[in-house]
């Protein structure tokens, strides 16, 4: 039988575990998998682009487990009552191809993106970082904010969005964290002034310049999350060239990340090597570090693996007969008769 997790079950899992504990657990799975980077069969995701957005498939495997995620990105979806980013995915045994898990990944992607940002910031930001500016207050925002507050010691967050309602929504949710000082900024510039970390997480299918050179101060860490598709960027090219850039799977980031604006041979550094302790992250307190996040299949692999283990431990989720259970595996045709109702 295949374990199925819908979004309501995921919400139960998160509530039973507690948000910080849930993210902490996911972070340890992700760091463990990034340290095994070379053992994975990796590829850039395949993408079906259209005028309004993109639909992508993200497969990855090691010797034991295969996983994939289906995810879209349609920045105008909120005007139609739909989320910009929606996802689901599956985890299979490599030996048999049998799917062990089919899961929602919309809510999970927001957690995994928050946790990926933490994994990078832990490795790259100054350890003394306490103030973060977040530009973009959509669906992903709170997950980033809570991850940085509860797992990285960020105690002041400034937020900015061109949509005031989105800012109020975030302020409402983050009011449940009394030790977090939250400031609603009047502009992107105000939001990031004096910040140790900048997170840019807007959605617009265009080459936007959300982070511009005059906003940058020595020692900042930039967590660029929203520039994740060809023709969809957030960070000005001169900001990119002024810092040390870190990437997930380089061939994918060269096409999709903010670095698509740079020459194909502009130096970038693999994040997994820093996480594995092979390379250092920042070279000095003054250096600007940039995580050009686009979202890589390995982060979803870790998430699906974590969800499977956690749901099994908590005895949550539904066992479904996604694949036929056959008395004789060669007799698939018998399945055509089993469920016929008799009048
Ligand atoms: N790198 C990753 O792994 C990853 C994962 C998930 C989502 N994303 C990307 O993150 C972005 C945000 O996702 P979401 O689900 O929160 O989208 P969303 O549509 O819910 O929210 C986006 C927000 O950005 C705001 N915005 C747009 N232009 C802006 C500007 N110029 N200045 C300030 N705010 C602006 C919008 O008003 C909106 O509130 C998307 O681009 C998505 O593709 C990346």
């Amino acid at each position: 039988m295949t374990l199925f997790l819908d979004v309501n079950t995921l919400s139960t899992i998160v509530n039973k575990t507690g948000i910080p504990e849930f993210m902490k657990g996911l972070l340890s799975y992700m760091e463990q998998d990034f340290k095994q980077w070379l053992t994975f069969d990796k590829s850039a995701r395949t993408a079906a682009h259209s005028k309004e957005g993109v639909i992508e498939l993200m497969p990855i495997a090691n010797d034991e487990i295969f996983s994939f995620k289906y995810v879209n990105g349609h920045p105008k979806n909120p005007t139609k009552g739909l989320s910009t980013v929606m996802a689901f995915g599956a985890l299979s045994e490599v030996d048999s191809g049998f799917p062990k898990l089919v899961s929602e990944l919309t809510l999970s992607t927001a957690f995994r993106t928050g946790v990926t940002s933490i994994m990078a910031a832990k490795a790259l930001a100054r350890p003394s970082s306490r103030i973060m500016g977040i530009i973009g207050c959509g669906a992903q925002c709170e997950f980033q904010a809570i991850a940085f507050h509860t797992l990285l010691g960020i105690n002041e967050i400034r937020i900015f969005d061109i949509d005031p309602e989105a800012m109020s929504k975030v302020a409402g949710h983050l009011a449940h964290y009394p030790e977090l000082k939250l400031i609603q900024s009047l502009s992107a510039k105000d939001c990031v002034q004096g910040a140790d970390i900048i997170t840019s997480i807007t959605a617009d299918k265009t080459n936007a310049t959300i982070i511009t050179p005059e906003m940058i101060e020595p020692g900042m860490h930039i967590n660029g999350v929203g520039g994740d598709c060809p023709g969809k960027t957030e960070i000005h090219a001169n900001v990119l060239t002024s810092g040390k850039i870190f990437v997930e799977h380089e061939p994918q980031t060269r096409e999709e990340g903010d670095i698509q604006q740079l020459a194909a041979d502009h130096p970038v550094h693999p994040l997994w090597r820093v996480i594995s302790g092979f390379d250092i992250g920042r070279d000095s307190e003054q250096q600007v570090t940039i995580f050009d996040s686009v979202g890589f299949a390995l982060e979803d692999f870790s998430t699906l693996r974590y969800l499977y283990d956690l749901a099994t431990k908590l005895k949550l989720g539904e066992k479904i007969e996604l694949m036929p259970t056959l008395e004789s595996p060669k007799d698939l045709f018998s399945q055509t008769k089993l469920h016929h109702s008799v009048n």
Side-chain angles (χ1 to χ4, degrees), residues 19-222:
I19 291 178
E21 279 307 309
F22 180 83
M23 291 195 297
K24 219 184 278 176
L26 178 52
L27 178 60
S28 89
Y29 272 60
M30 208 182 277
E31 285 180 333
Q32 197 184 335
D33 288 336
F34 266 69
K35 287 177 186 166
Q36 300 297 319
W37 181 267
L38 295 175
T39 68
F40 286 93
D41 185 4
K42 299 174 286 293
S43 55
R45 56 190 165 197
T46 57
H49 295 282
S50 61
K51 196 162 85 40
E52 299 299 350
V54 63
I55 298 175
E56 297 161 327
L57 277 181
M58 305 169 68
I60 190 161
N62 63 11
D63 285 347
E64 287 168 32
I65 303 172
F66 168 93
S67 80
F68 79 86
K69 173 163 96 169
Y70 163 106
V71 63
N72 77 307
H74 286 73
K76 290 188 188 146
N77 264 4
T79 61
K80 301 179 203 160
L82 288 172
S83 300
T84 295
V85 176
M86 300 176 285
F88 70 91
L91 195 74
S92 296
E93 287 168 352
V94 163
D95 276 354
S96 66
F98 188 85
K100 288 167 65 168
L101 173 69
V102 173
S103 178
E104 88 80 43
L105 284 179
T106 304
L107 184 54
S108 306
T109 289
F111 277 114
R112 83 80 151 111
T113 306
V115 167
T116 306
S117 296
I118 288 298
M119 182 172 68
K122 249 179 81 183
L124 306 177
R126 282 176 289 114
S128 59
S129 297
R130 293 291 171 267
I131 303 174
M132 174 161 84
I134 305 183
I135 305 175
C137 295
Q140 312 296 320
C141 180
E142 292 89 336
F143 298 84
Q144 296 282 325
I146 296 167
F148 277 87
H149 175 49
T150 60
L151 303 188
L152 209 78
I154 292 297
N155 54 25
E156 178 176 327
I157 294 185
R158 295 91 171 264
I159 54 171
F160 176 71
D161 197 293
I162 45 174
D163 172 7
E165 273 181 33
M167 286 173 72
S168 309
K169 174 218 57 159
V170 171
H173 288 309
L174 296 185
H176 297 285
Y177 293 82
E179 284 166 20
L180 175 65
K181 183 175 171 195
L182 186 84
I183 298 168
Q184 297 190 48
S185 302
L186 296 173
S187 67
K189 196 163 164 270
D190 281 357
C191 178
V192 302
Q193 194 170 20
D196 301 303
I197 298 174
I198 302 176
T199 287
S200 177
I201 189 149
T202 66
D204 200 353
K205 207 171 181 337
T206 182
N207 291 116
T209 39
I210 308 288
I211 310 288
T212 50
E214 66 279 8
M215 292 178 176
I216 305 307
E217 295 165 29
M220 275 179 165
H221 172 65
I222 302 170

Side-chain angles (χ1 to χ4, degrees), residues 233-301:
T233 54
E234 294 180 308
I235 304 173
H236 191 287
N238 292 350
V239 173
L240 296 170
T241 52
S242 73
K244 185 173 180 183
I245 302 168
F246 295 83
V247 296
E248 295 147 305
H249 184 49
E250 186 180 331
Q252 183 179 320
T253 311
R254 290 270 180 208
E255 276 188 22
E256 301 180 351
D258 280 280
I259 58 165
Q260 65 187 267
Q261 303 170 80
L262 304 184
D265 59 353
H266 187 90
V268 297
H269 304 268
L271 181 62
W272 73 268
R273 289 189 57 88
V274 184
I275 288 159
S276 304
F278 297 146
D279 293 342
I280 55 162
R282 63 173 48 246
D283 300 307
S284 71
E285 286 279 298
Q286 299 294 303
Q287 187 172 49
V288 171
T289 50
I290 301 157
F291 174 40
D292 189 1
S293 159
V294 292
F296 181 54
L298 184 54
E299 294 141 24
D300 304 300
F301 176 98

Side-chain angles (χ1 to χ4, degrees), residues 1-6 9 102 316-321:
M1 299 284 258
T2 300
L3 182 65
F4 174 61
L5 303 177
D6 68 4
T9 312
V102 173
L316 289 168
E318 191 188 341
K319 294 270 171 65
I320 58 166
E321 204 160 344

